[in-house]
Structure formats: C-alpha cells, structure tokens
Amino acid sequence: MDEVIKGFLNRNVPQFADKIEIKLTGVKKDNYCVTCKDETVFITANNYVSAFSGFYDYLKKYCRVQLSWCGNREIKIDKLVMFDGELKKEIVQRYRVYLNYCTFNYTMSWWNFDKWEKEIDFMAMNGINMPLCIVGTEAVWYNTLLEFGFTKEEALSTVSGPAFWAWHLMTNIDSYIPPKDESYITERLELGRKILNRYLEFGMQPIQHGFSGHVPMKLKEKYPNSNILAKNGWCNYPKTAQIDPLDPLFHEVGMVYLKNLEKLFGNHHFLACDPFHEGTPPKRWSFYLKAVGKAINKLYEDFDKKSVWVMQGWTPRKQIIKAVPKERLLILDLSSDRTPKFKNFYGYFVVAGMLHNFGGKNAMQGKIRHHCDNAYKQLKERGANIIGSGMFMEGVEQNPVVYDLQFNMLTESDKIDFSDWLDDYIERRYGKYSSILRKAWDLMIETCYSDNGYEENEVGSTLASRPQPMPVMTGPCCYAKVWYDTKKLEKALSLFVSVCDKFKDSDGYQYDLCDLARQVLSNRFHDNQIEFSKSYKSKNLTEIKKIADKQLDLLLDLDELVSHRSEMCLSRWICDSHKLATSEEERKYFDKNARTLITLWGDINGDCSYLYDYSWREWSGLIKEYYYVRWQMFYNEAITHLENGTRLNIATGNNYLERKRYRSTEFGKLLNEFELSWCNTYSEYDYPVDTDVIPSVLKVVEKWNIQK
C-alpha cells in the first residue's frame, strides 16, 4: 500500500486500514468514486485529497460520522457499512483555500506537530487543497535581517512573539514581546518544515508568505540614505516601516527574503502578502499605490516566473490590484462581501470565502441558513471570476455546527437544503436522530443561529466586557448585547436536558449541552446586568447589592460548568503553551504570550491597545481568575460610591469605536493594574480532561430556574 495512504488510514481508522483500498488515477479533474465489495471499501480518485475527501464523505453518509474540534474529535465506528452502487463526486472548485493569518494565533499558537498532523488529515478529508503555510517564517525574517547588517540580538528583537506573529506578517506590528533566545527561531523552523512537508506529501498547494516591503524601523539606521517610510501605527501600536517601492533597497531586501524562503522551505509559487493590511500607507497617492503593486509583482516575477501573488480581499486598494497582470494575482475574499463592492475585483481570480469568527471568541452564533446559499455559486452567477471556495475564520474550536456545514460547502457547487442537512447533522453529531433535539435546534436557529438582527462576527459577551453599569462593547468589533429572545434559547436547553439519559454517551451531545448551558448562563448575566444598571440609576442600594451577589455567584457556577469540557478550559490553552516550550524560561515566555492575547492583547506606550478583550473566551479558569475579579472590583466600587453618595466615574477603554480611555480614572488604573498583573502571572495547571457535564447542567437548570 502507498505509504501516504497507509499512514493516513492508520492514523484515522487503524482497525479497518486493511479493508479500505485507494487507487489514484492522476487525472486532472478533482473527483472520487466509492464502491463496496466483499466487506471492503474501494476508493478511486485523481489524487490524495480527493481520495481522503471521498473517504470522509463515505463515513458521513454510511457510517454516520461527524468529526469536529469540539466533541467527536476521533473517528469511532464499529464496522464499515457496505452499500450498493457508487458514491461519486466531481469537485468544480479548483482551489479550496484554508486558514486566515489570525487562525495561526487565535487558535494554533501552541499546536505541536501531533496536533497539526490531525488537522492536516482533517483538511484533506474536507477537500482542502490550498492551505496557508506560515509557521516557521520567523527564520526567514531573522536570516534576512542578518544579511543586512543586523546583529543576532538586533534581529531577534524585531521578531514578534509566538501569539502575535500573524500580525507581524500582515505588516501591523513588529518587535512585540520578542523572544530572548535564538533557539526559538530554530524550533519554529523545524515545526514549520514538518507542516509543509505533510502538505506536500498530500499534494496540497501551500500558500507561502512573501514580501511587501514591511521592515523594522531599525533598518533606517543601517541604510540612512534609503527611502524607508514610517506608516501610521495600527490600533495604537508603534509605527512600522515600509521601504519605498521605488527605492532599489525594496527589490534587494525582497529578493534576499524570497531566496531565504526558498532555501529554508522551498519555493511553491503562491506567495501571499497584504501591503498596508488594515493600515494607512505612508503615502496615499494613486501613483504611489500603483508603484507598490508593480514593485511587488516585479519582485515576485524576477524571483519566479511561475509565481502568483495571493492577496486577502479584506482592505483592498484598486490601484495596487490593477497594477498586477490578471494571471499573476489571486484574491481571497475572506467573507465574500468585498467582491460585489469592488466590481467583481475587476475580473481578477477570486476565491469566495467564509469568515464567521473574530478572535476565537466562543459565543454561539452564525448565520447558518445564509451559508447554505453558497457564496461560490452566488458570486459566480454575478459574473465574478470565481475559481474556488475558502474558509478564513480568525479562530476555530467553537460553533461546530457552522464549520461542519461550511466544510461541506467548500466542495458544493449549488445551494443545499438546510432542513435536510440539519436532520442529517443531528444524527451524525449525536449518534442517532431525535425529534426533540430537532425541536431544540429549531429554537437555536430562531435565536443564536438566526440570519437576522446582527452582523456575523460582531457578537460580544457582557460578562467578558470591561465592567461598567451596562457594557456597550466587549472587543472593538463586537457588541455586548443579545439580539434574540433569551427565553427561547432557555427552552432549547430544557429540550436538550430532557433527553440526557438517551444521549449521555454521545461526546457531541455532551459538548453541545455544555455549550448551550454556557450560552444560557452568559445571557442571564447580560439580562441581570441590565437590571443592575436600572437599579443603579435609581440608587436602589439594596437591589444592586442583591444583583451583584447574584452575578458573582453565576460566574462561579459558569466557571464550574464549562470546566467539564477541555475545549472550554484556560488550562488547556496554558498547558499547551507550556508543553511546546523547551525550557523553563521559554515556558514563562509562552505563558505571558498566551495570557496577553486572550485578554489585553497588548499594553504599550503607557496605554492599552485598542484590542483589549478582542479575543475574549468564556472559559473555565479565565472566568474565575479574570472576569470574576474584574466584576467583583467593579461591584465593590459601585456600591462604595452609592453608599458614600459620590459619583461613579467609569470609562471603558480607548477613544475608538465608542471605547473611552479607561485609564483616565482611578478605578480604571486599578483595573488595568490587575489585568497587567494577571498577564504577567506564571501558573502551572493540570491538563483538563472531559467529564460528564450532565450533573452540572441539571444543577444550574434548577438553581437558575431555566425556563421549560
């Protein structure tokens, strides 16, 4: 048996590996055909990805498998189900692209190769053939700077930390929480090579990170006569630098970077970069932006005549795009909404994407019915030059229903019937179908997964927001409000609980029950805080004390509830960071990175970045250690002021998207001192394990009088 196929089968269905035969035809069109005979499954496909996609489609259709990051994390089947006829498919999307730069940090910062190996298998099973490949590029940056006169210490100091490297590559930051030891560069390089090699073994087309002219400001000291321009700081971070594309140094540095990339990882032709991503160019003139586009294209073409520039269509600039020949540019429309706004991207090749999640936050949300309409089909019908589908969420490991659907849509060329799909999902997710669970899901589709009343990705959390009488926003892009009838979602929870005896052995059920109960309690916190705000305005001291006690009690119950699922534990995030480290010093360094990303995001120039609480998580440990303490401090402050008849002076953050400068008040300074202290705390945790969540759910349902 082919070693690649043998390895894949032994990792995923070892007990049936000798009963699955896969034959590759090598034809150009992506397709597979699955048949059964003599207790053996036969798969014929043009390549590995098509074969593994056919394998998983067979498991879904006939063995009723649902594989996920959240519950059902392993394939568990008792037998290979035989069937008559053929299960076949031709995949029309040339490219099925996967991963946002941000995913590498909001979710994957602490993944070792064992975790990556499972993920790459999962990619292939879902038909992905073009993954982003950026792990280990620290070494490319580092080696390039050494060639331009940087000492090892200087070059290392410009490398942003393991939880922030994605934004470094996107030109937003550099030198943020840098490593202290050169060995870190080697570790990332080794991991990145393993990931890339597995992509290549599977026949995937990796997207590598290219060069856009982004350099450390210190390069100006080395080359004082070169035109190195300061860009405006991103989200209150220090300014970064851009080499003027008309300066010869642009091409010189870029070529050294690309040759280092080729030396360390090989050249695989698709090179990504996004000049001025979410930022302001040092010059806004049309001719300057056009020059940027021409300079990057010339650099790539001089390096490799077969190269293709891959650009995120997130903050596109017409002048840059149109400076590049159409056959040399591929645009990833991360959420499929930019293509119509930019005149179908002027006829350039486009991948229709789904974004869904900002920051890895774990609210139950997603416009599921909307995704069934198939953005690939819609944009193609509108005349766009659509060449593929993609998934570009900033964080995964949440909302498994959304991703199960969207993975399915990657290789679909038409709309799908949502109701039929949901029935199928329920049976695969929980091991058997239940009309009661379908009723619960119908209520969830009416509420947290509805298509109306909110913008996808803008869902926040009141309990994870910086405290005030009634928070407006959590992160800078998500609102601390609930846009649906919370009692309907409580009814869904009651329906879920009513069948707990029948589904207690289902891992998918256990996760979803926990997640649904988490969302219900989070909504209760929101509703209670509205009442607190009203009582504070009316100066009802007795009532606000009562509500404050209730809120703190609820937070502790919520922390205990989600502790039963490892996917919702801070300890997993921290332990994974510790396990990836190779020394005690590095463990502490990774620990700080891990804590900072999901809370403050950063603290610079004597003030907090605009991004605090952007990557909030309603996780066990984080609720008790961080959110609970902030709310306890707030309630004590509010009650003290009311008792003393003084004015409560609360500000919630920076003057950005309604976020005032929170450190402008004495209480804000105290709050920030706690937050900084927590980010700088090093703690050892036990790795969490999954346990039966049903007793905890029954307890909170009774205690908090969840509506039936």
Side-chain angles (χ1 to χ4, degrees):
M1 183 185 290
D2 180 302
E3 288 301 314
V4 174
I5 295 171
K6 182 179 179 180
F8 172 84
L9 293 176
N10 283 334
R11 286 191 299 274
N12 291 284
V13 284
Q15 70 276 41
F16 300 111
D18 60 344
K19 292 294 184 180
I20 300 171
E21 294 190 14
I22 297 176
K23 179 182 177 182
L24 303 184
T25 64
V27 301
K28 188 173 182 180
K29 287 189 176 181
D30 289 341
N31 69 89
Y32 63 78
C33 179
V34 186
T35 57
C36 295
K37 184 180 180 181
D38 299 331
E39 304 304 314
T40 300
V41 175
F42 297 89
I43 303 172
T44 303
N46 69 306
N47 58 31
Y48 291 124
V49 172
S50 296
F52 300 155
S53 177
F55 161 78
Y56 186 44
D57 279 356
Y58 157 76
L59 290 179
K60 289 192 292 184
K61 185 174 179 62
Y62 294 104
C63 301
R64 312 310 290 147
V65 168
Q66 194 273 333
L67 195 58
S68 170
W69 304 289
C70 307
N72 297 345
R73 287 166 288 184
E74 304 287 342
I75 296 172
K76 295 181 180 180
I77 53 175
D78 297 325
K79 63 179 181 178
L80 294 176
V81 177
M82 298 292 104
F83 68 95
D84 295 327
E86 298 177 331
L87 173 64
K88 59 194 304 184
K89 187 174 192 176
E90 182 175 303
I91 303 171
V92 299
Q93 293 89 339
R94 180 177 174 185
Y95 300 132
R96 284 88 67 190
V97 188
Y98 185 53
L99 295 173
N100 185 314
Y101 276 81
C102 302
T103 326
F104 285 85
N105 284 141
Y106 285 134
T107 296
M108 300 168 169
S109 291
W110 316 119
W111 284 14
N112 58 20
F113 186 67
D114 289 343
K115 179 68 172 175
W116 269 106
E117 188 171 54
K118 289 170 65 76
E119 182 72 7
I120 297 168
D121 285 349
F122 190 48
M123 292 181 197
M125 283 189 268
N126 285 288
I128 290 159
N129 65 0
M130 185 179 257
L132 185 60
C133 188
I134 63 172
V135 175
T137 46
E138 293 93 339
V140 183
W141 172 273
Y142 177 75
N143 287 354
T144 299
L145 295 181
L146 293 181
E147 292 192 42
F148 285 91
F150 282 66
T151 66
K152 289 184 176 182
E153 292 75 17
E154 288 173 336
L156 196 62
S157 71
T158 70
V159 175
S160 295
F164 300 92
W165 183 242
W167 296 276
H168 187 124
L169 295 179
M170 289 187 288
T171 79
N172 300 133
I173 59 175
D174 58 47
S175 311
Y176 188 67
I177 316 185
K180 305 296 184 185
D181 195 315
E182 188 183 13
S183 63
Y184 171 75
I185 303 296
T186 304
E187 293 162 15
R188 299 304 293 170
L189 175 61
E190 290 175 354
L191 177 59
R193 281 173 167 168
K194 289 179 180 179
I195 294 166
L196 174 63
N197 289 339
R198 183 55 55 83
Y199 286 166
L200 297 176
E201 283 178 14
F202 278 16
M204 295 175 173
Q205 171 60 67
I207 299 173
Q208 297 176 280
H209 184 74
F211 181 77
S212 67
H214 170 63
V215 291
M217 195 69 74
K218 195 173 186 64
L219 189 65
K220 182 71 173 177
E221 298 175 18
K222 312 289 184 181
Y223 292 83
N225 296 324
S226 294
N227 196 8
I228 298 175
L229 310 168
K231 299 191 299 179
N232 289 336
W234 171 77
C235 292
N236 209 35
Y237 280 82
K239 293 181 177 182
T240 56
Q242 165 82 19
I243 308 176
D244 190 314
L246 302 180
D247 192 300
L249 188 64
F250 183 98
H251 196 278
E252 184 182 351
V253 174
M255 191 60 73
V256 170
Y257 173 91
L258 293 174
K259 287 181 178 178
N260 275 319
L261 178 70
E262 183 175 37
K263 179 181 178 181
L264 295 172
F265 292 102
N267 168 32
H268 305 288
H269 309 301
F270 284 76
L271 297 167
C273 76
D274 297 284
F276 324 122
H277 173 77
E278 293 185 345
T280 305
K283 299 177 183 178
R284 303 190 189 188
W285 306 316
S286 294
F287 74 82
Y288 172 77
L289 296 175
K290 186 176 182 180
V292 170
K294 285 186 173 182
I296 294 173
N297 178 64
K298 184 179 188 306
L299 169 66
Y300 287 0
E301 191 168 24
D302 288 351
F303 169 67
D304 172 15
K305 297 293 184 185
K306 297 180 180 179
S307 65
V308 176
W309 178 356
V310 181
M311 179 190 296
Q312 294 182 112
W314 189 243
T315 51
R317 290 175 171 84
K318 176 181 178 181
Q319 297 89 343
I320 294 178
I321 292 171
K322 300 195 78 172
V324 185
K326 287 185 177 178
E327 70 276 8
R328 294 190 48 75
L329 184 64
L330 176 64
I331 299 174
L332 310 179
D333 188 351
L334 303 190
S335 53
S336 294
D337 61 347
R338 268 45 171 187
T339 302
K341 294 176 183 177
F342 287 86
K343 298 181 179 180
N344 286 339
F345 279 119
Y346 323 111
Y348 285 80
F349 292 121
V350 175
V351 169
M354 190 278 284
L355 182 52
H356 178 258
N357 183 278
F358 285 166
K361 59 186 185 286
N362 63 325
M364 293 181 75
Q365 60 94 17
K367 297 188 174 186
I368 299 181
R369 289 185 184 275
H370 169 73
H371 295 308
C372 289
D373 290 339
N374 197 334
Y376 173 87
K377 172 183 171 65
Q378 289 181 319
L379 294 182
K380 195 174 185 68
E381 289 176 346
R382 291 173 182 171
N385 194 4
I386 297 296
I387 198 170
S389 298
M391 288 179 63
F392 305 111
M393 54 281 135
E394 288 190 356
V396 296
E397 296 183 330
Q398 33 72 33
N399 287 289
V401 66
V402 174
Y403 296 106
D404 193 275
L405 171 64
Q406 196 59 35
F407 276 127
N408 185 73
M409 300 305 297
L410 280 178
T411 56
E412 289 293 330
S413 56
D414 209 339
K415 296 181 179 181
I416 66 170
D417 184 285
F418 171 71
S419 184
D420 288 348
W421 179 86
L422 184 58
D423 280 342
D424 178 78
Y425 176 78
I426 289 170
E427 183 177 341
R428 289 187 298 112
R429 179 72 173 163
Y430 306 128
K432 56 187 175 183
Y433 185 76
S434 164
S435 58
I436 293 176
L437 289 177
R438 173 61 199 246
K439 289 178 182 177
W441 269 103
D442 285 341
L443 288 170
M444 287 189 276
I445 301 303
E446 289 180 33
T447 52
C448 58
Y449 291 118
S450 72
D451 285 357
N452 301 316
Y454 71 106
E455 289 296 325
E456 200 167 38
N457 304 316
E458 290 188 355
V459 181
S461 164
T462 297
L463 72 86
S465 303
R466 178 167 277 110
Q468 59 174 308
M470 192 61 226
V472 176
M473 306 191 77
T474 311
C477 303
C478 55
Y479 291 87
K481 65 179 180 180
V482 181
W483 68 95
Y484 53 83
D485 184 348
T486 58
K487 296 303 180 184
K488 278 189 177 182
L489 196 65
E490 292 188 10
K491 174 63 174 175
L493 176 57
S494 293
L495 290 170
F496 250 80
V497 168
S498 71
V499 295
C500 64
D501 287 343
K502 297 179 181 178
F503 290 91
K504 61 184 178 181
D505 295 327
S506 164
D507 194 42
Y509 174 83
Q510 286 270 348
Y511 177 90
D512 289 354
L513 177 65
C514 184
D515 199 28
L516 182 53
R518 176 203 57 74
Q519 189 63 58
V520 164
L521 287 187
S522 178
N523 292 347
R524 277 290 182 95
F525 189 92
H526 168 83
D527 293 343
N528 291 345
Q529 198 59 30
I530 293 174
E531 296 306 311
F532 178 93
S533 180
K534 292 177 181 177
S535 297
Y536 196 86
K537 287 179 182 177
S538 64
K539 299 182 179 180
N540 187 334
L541 184 59
T542 300
E543 188 63 19
I544 70 162
K545 286 183 177 179
K546 179 181 176 182
I547 297 173
D549 288 343
K550 182 192 296 185
Q551 292 286 72
L552 295 174
D553 191 27
L554 187 151
L555 289 175
L556 294 178
D557 283 350
L558 180 52
D559 188 272
E560 192 282 329
L561 170 76
V562 295
S563 70
H564 294 275
R565 294 300 309 189
S566 59
E567 305 97 325
M568 300 186 216
C569 288
L570 170 69
S571 55
R572 178 180 65 101
W573 177 254
I574 299 294
C575 284
D576 282 348
S577 77
H578 292 179
K579 286 169 60 180
L580 196 64
T582 58
S583 68
E584 180 66 19
E585 183 180 0
E586 194 169 60
R587 276 194 292 276
K588 292 178 180 179
Y589 171 61
F590 285 3
D591 190 289
K592 179 176 180 177
N593 270 262
R595 290 168 179 268
T596 301
L597 180 68
I598 59 175
T599 53
L600 283 176
W601 217 102
D603 193 86
I604 56 171
N605 293 342
D607 206 348
C608 186
S609 98
Y610 292 156
L611 296 174
Y612 66 88
D613 293 326
Y614 180 92
S615 183
W616 61 265
R617 318 283 171 96
E618 290 182 356
W619 281 353
S620 178
L622 192 59
I623 296 170
K624 186 175 182 178
E625 293 181 24
Y626 193 78
Y627 301 137
Y628 177 92
V629 175
R630 293 201 308 189
W631 280 106
Q632 186 180 49
M633 291 173 67
F634 166 76
Y635 291 135
N636 289 341
E637 183 79 2
I639 290 168
T640 298
H641 278 283
L642 199 55
E643 288 176 334
N644 295 337
T646 54
R647 182 174 178 270
L648 174 64
N649 191 7
I650 297 288
T652 61
N654 297 287
N655 292 322
Y656 176 74
L657 293 177
E658 304 178 31
R659 294 153 73 80
K660 298 177 182 178
R661 292 191 178 276
Y662 73 96
R663 283 169 58 154
S664 62
T665 68
E666 288 304 312
F667 176 70
K669 291 176 183 177
L670 289 173
L671 200 60
N672 185 236
E673 285 174 8
F674 158 71
E675 293 165 337
L676 285 170
S677 173
W678 189 85
C679 288
N680 286 295
T681 299
Y682 176 79
S683 300
E684 296 282 357
Y685 293 90
D686 292 328
Y687 204 90
V689 295
D690 298 331
T691 55
D692 185 2
V693 74
I694 292 173
S696 273
V697 173
L698 293 175
K699 178 181 175 181
V700 299
V701 164
E702 180 178 1
K703 178 176 178 178
W704 296 100
N705 192 28
I706 303 301
Q707 179 170 321
K708 297 181 180 180

